[in-house]
């Protein structure tokens, strides 16, 4: 996992956006969301711009606080966040039955944390697909550092329009990524097209459970906080995702709500009531220090104007995720 420090965080805020335009990008991003009067249809029709702005703004925060793998994981008692994330990635690779030399696609790969872990675990050749230039640049650098740059690569493209011929891959996976798609069916259909016949697609997907009540204002508030803090056009119900998979041509072999049987809650790293030394930056004290550090870095000009605003909507997302998880 990354050892990103304060200056890495400060220099990375905004990604490929000109540092003088970060505040403007934050304002434009915020306006897509319910908290600022935004509409779901606008988020869906402008998802490429919205998601790109989101990851330009937040990637250095993610890497600083979370590591290279931008996802959650069910967790055993006594297991660190890092250990749970690696095990979660290994489990997915085992479910796909990945073998050395197979061609695999990682849909929505971030900076490639899971790609590198799964490639070293399985010896498969993995292509990471991402539509964010900054994340790809960062991913290539990290691939080179760990030595998987000869067998793994990145392609900049939209997962609604995959730039590959039919039947290109032995396996495809997505880890908390296709939730950014404006249309689950369209995304899954593209994945089905590039997957070789009879082979498998595995995904960890963010979903609203049946406990979500559309008429409950508190539920709607939590959903809106998660959407703005995580760059999502909409969070779909589990049943809608399963229905979209089947419509796209897939047979659903296995599906499970991994939160139900997890010995420790998936949202535990974000819960301010906990104390952790292994993931100190995510604790209440760690987040308080980061907040004030970002404020200071922005004040002295090492972090661009707007950095605090990014920190604020990420904090809002954390609170929404904990409340939603509970």
């Amino acid at each position: 996992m990354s050892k990103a420090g304060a200056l890495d965080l400060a220099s990375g805020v905004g990604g490929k956006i000109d540092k003088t335009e970060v505040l403007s990008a934050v304002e434009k991003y915020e306006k897509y969301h319910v908290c600022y009067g935004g509409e779901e249809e606008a988020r869906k029709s402008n998802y490429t711009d919205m998601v790109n702005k989101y990851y330009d703004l937040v990637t250095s925060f993610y890497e600083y606080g979370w590591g290279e793998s931008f996802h959650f994981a069910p967790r055993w008692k006594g297991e660190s966040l890092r250990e749970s994330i690696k095990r979660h990635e290994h489990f997915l690779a085992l479910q796909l039955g990945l073998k050395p030399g197979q061609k695999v696609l990682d849909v929505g790969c971030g900076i490639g944390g899971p790609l590198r872990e799964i490639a070293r675990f399985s010896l498969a050749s993995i292509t990471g697909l991402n539509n964010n230039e900054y994340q790809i640049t960062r991913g290539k650098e990290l691939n080179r550092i760990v030595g998987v740059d000869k067998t793994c690569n990145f392609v900049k493209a939209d997962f609604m329009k995959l730039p590959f011929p039919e039947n290109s891959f032995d396996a495809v996976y997505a880890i908390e990524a296709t939730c950014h798609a404006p249309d689950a069916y369209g995304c899954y259909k593209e994945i089905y097209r590039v997957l070789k016949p009879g082979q498998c697609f595995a995904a960890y997907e963010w979903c609203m459970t049946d406990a979500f009540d559309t008429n409950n204002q508190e539920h709607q508030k939590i959903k809106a906080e998660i959407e703005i803090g995580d760059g999502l056009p909409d969070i779909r119900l589990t049943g809608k995702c399963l229905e979209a998979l089947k419509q796209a041509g897939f047979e659903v072999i296995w599906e499970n709500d991994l939160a139900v049987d997890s010995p420790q809650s998936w949202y535990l790293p974000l819960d301010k009531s906990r104390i952790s030394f292994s993931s100190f930056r995510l604790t209440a004290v760690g987040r308080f220090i980061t907040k004030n550090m970002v404020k200071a870095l922005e004040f002295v000009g090492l972090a661009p104007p707007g950095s605090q605003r990014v920190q604020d909507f990420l904090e809002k997302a954390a609170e929404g995720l904990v409340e939603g998880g509970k």
Side-chain angles (χ1 to χ4, degrees), residues 104-151:
V104 180
L105 179 65
D106 179 335
V107 178
C109 62
I111 61 171
L115 176 153
R116 286 181 288 280
E117 186 62 38
I118 291 171
R120 288 180 290 185
F121 179 73
S122 67
L123 302 182
S125 297
I126 305 178
T127 296
L129 184 115
N130 192 327
N131 211 17
N132 184 272
E133 186 179 345
Y134 174 69
Q135 288 198 334
I136 288 178
T137 300
R138 182 70 179 132
K140 286 179 177 178
E141 179 185 0
L142 294 170
N143 276 11
R144 181 184 54 77
I145 290 170
V146 301
V148 299
D149 52 314
K150 299 295 189 293
T151 57

Side-chain angles (χ1 to χ4, degrees), residues 6-145:
L7 292 180
D8 298 307
L9 167 59
S11 63
V13 175
K16 291 289 184 180
I17 300 171
D18 187 284
K19 300 307 178 188
T20 62
E21 297 179 4
V22 168
L23 180 58
S24 173
V26 172
E27 291 169 346
K28 288 176 183 176
Y29 171 76
E30 289 174 338
K31 287 177 182 176
Y32 281 122
H33 291 276
V34 173
C35 308
Y36 293 85
E39 300 288 340
E40 181 184 322
E41 285 310 310
R43 293 196 296 277
K44 287 182 175 180
S45 60
N46 296 285
Y47 75 95
T48 301
D49 180 65
M50 183 191 72
V51 176
N52 251 315
K53 277 188 172 62
Y54 175 76
Y55 278 113
D56 272 330
L57 294 169
V58 306
T59 292
S60 65
F61 280 96
Y62 273 26
E63 196 173 348
Y64 176 81
W66 204 264
E68 294 174 23
S69 294
F70 302 163
H71 64 82
F72 292 95
R75 194 164 166 186
W76 291 96
K77 291 182 180 178
E79 187 177 44
S80 70
L81 174 62
R82 180 176 182 176
E83 290 167 342
S84 70
I85 283 174
K86 290 179 72 169
R87 178 179 50 75
H88 200 45
E89 293 164 356
H90 293 176
F91 178 78
L92 183 144
L94 290 169
Q95 293 304 301
L96 283 172
L98 299 186
K99 296 179 177 58
Q102 284 188 321
K103 286 183 62 179
V104 180
L105 179 65
D106 179 335
V107 178
C109 62
I111 61 171
L115 176 153
R116 286 181 288 280
E117 186 62 38
I118 291 171
R120 288 180 290 185
F121 179 73
S122 67
L123 302 182
S125 297
I126 305 178
T127 296
L129 184 115
N130 192 327
N131 211 17
N132 184 272
E133 186 179 345
Y134 174 69
Q135 288 198 334
I136 288 178
T137 300
R138 182 70 179 132
K140 286 179 177 178
E141 179 185 0
L142 294 170
N143 276 11
R144 181 184 54 77
I145 290 170

Side-chain angles (χ1 to χ4, degrees), residues 215-246:
N215 296 316
N216 185 311
Q217 290 300 308
E218 182 62 21
H219 287 193
Q220 290 286 9
K221 176 178 175 290
I222 289 168
K223 180 175 181 284
E225 287 176 345
I226 296 170
E227 286 167 351
I228 188 173
D230 293 284
L232 304 177
D234 182 34
I235 311 177
R236 291 174 277 269
L237 289 165
T238 305
K240 294 291 185 183
C241 289
L242 293 172
E243 183 182 318
L245 280 166
K246 293 171 185 175

